Amino acid sequence: MTTLGIIGSGNIGGTLARLAVAAGYDVVVSNSRGPETLTGLVEELGDRARAGTAQEAAAAGDLVVVSVPVKAVDDIPVEPLAGKLVLDTNNYYWQRDGHIPELDAQQITSAGLLARHLRDAHVVKAFNHITAADLGSQGVPAGTPDRRALAIFGDDHDAKVGAAAFIDTIGYDAVDGGPLDESWRIEPGTPGYGPRFDAPGLRGALDAAVRPQGA
């Protein structure tokens, strides 16, 4: 069975763990506070799940979700993620993360920061524009009319294919928005961030996004 590693098991990470287990994945969850704080989540998830450190989740995962505040990106383990598909759910909020000059100046995206840190991983931006409540409740089988779509951005074709396959498995269509440096199109404040769209609607929202002045 494919194993999903999760680094950051808060609202989005925990929801993805539940969806993955329901879809037949094994899951290793982790957070910054230690495996012992995830006992309740693991008990809820059942036999397919276990808790570990971030290093253990990174090493165990065939694909790995990173769902931590942007200010914590440099704490993500690097070596065990080399060559792996990494799904980046993060958003930059300076009020939480503190000002990060490169992001404030729009010299790089938050996903770009993670990709630079992980250097040999295949980072795909995903799951950053949907609430945990919606993610946990709106998935439907492939082919369902008006199925909700989620955007992905990345620089590696095969990684995006893998991301889209995972997204489909847990109940959503995937829309390829382009390379990682275009992922600003689904960051906070853009038309696609938050609302529910099917695939054509999300494509239109991505195309309509305008980067703020100063880009």
Side-chain angles (χ1 to χ4, degrees):
M1 297 297 292
T2 299
T3 298
L4 177 70
I6 300 181
I7 300 174
S9 300
N11 291 334
I12 291 292
T15 299
L16 286 172
R18 295 179 183 95
L19 293 173
V21 165
Y25 288 80
D26 292 329
V27 174
V28 181
V29 294
S30 69
N31 63 16
S32 61
R33 295 174 293 146
E36 66 278 1
T37 67
L38 293 167
T39 302
L41 178 60
V42 170
E43 289 177 351
E44 175 192 342
L45 294 173
D47 292 342
R48 288 198 178 278
R50 64 181 175 90
T53 64
Q55 187 87 11
E56 289 168 339
D62 299 301
L63 64 159
V64 177
V65 170
V66 171
S67 190
V68 302
V70 172
K71 64 183 178 182
V73 158
D74 287 344
D75 297 330
I76 304 301
V78 175
E79 298 305 328
L81 293 174
K84 293 187 178 183
L85 165 57
V86 175
L87 301 176
D88 169 35
T89 80
N90 305 334
N91 288 305
Y92 171 51
Y93 303 107
W94 68 261
Q95 300 91 336
R96 176 196 65 189
D97 299 310
H99 283 288
I100 300 174
E102 285 180 288
L103 295 179
D104 290 340
Q106 299 172 355
Q107 295 168 343
I108 195 169
T109 63
S110 59
L113 282 182
L114 180 63
R116 186 173 67 190
H117 173 67
L118 295 181
R119 60 182 182 266
D120 295 322
H122 305 300
V123 174
V124 176
K125 190 75 171 181
F127 302 114
N128 73 303
H129 63 100
I130 184 171
T131 67
D134 286 351
L135 180 61
S137 63
Q138 294 185 357
V140 294
T144 302
D146 196 37
R147 192 188 201 201
R148 183 164 183 170
L150 301 176
I152 58 173
F153 290 82
D155 296 333
D156 183 275
H157 172 75
D158 290 343
K160 287 195 284 189
V161 170
F166 176 68
I167 288 169
D168 177 60
T169 298
I170 63 171
Y172 298 88
D173 287 340
V175 171
D176 185 349
L180 210 57
D181 63 7
E182 288 285 302
S183 60
W184 61 265
R185 293 183 177 276
I186 200 62
E187 289 178 348
T190 60
Y193 182 84
R196 185 192 188 287
F197 291 108
D198 63 7
L202 181 56
R203 167 57 60 195
L206 296 177
D207 290 343
V210 176
R211 204 166 195 185
Q213 292 297 315

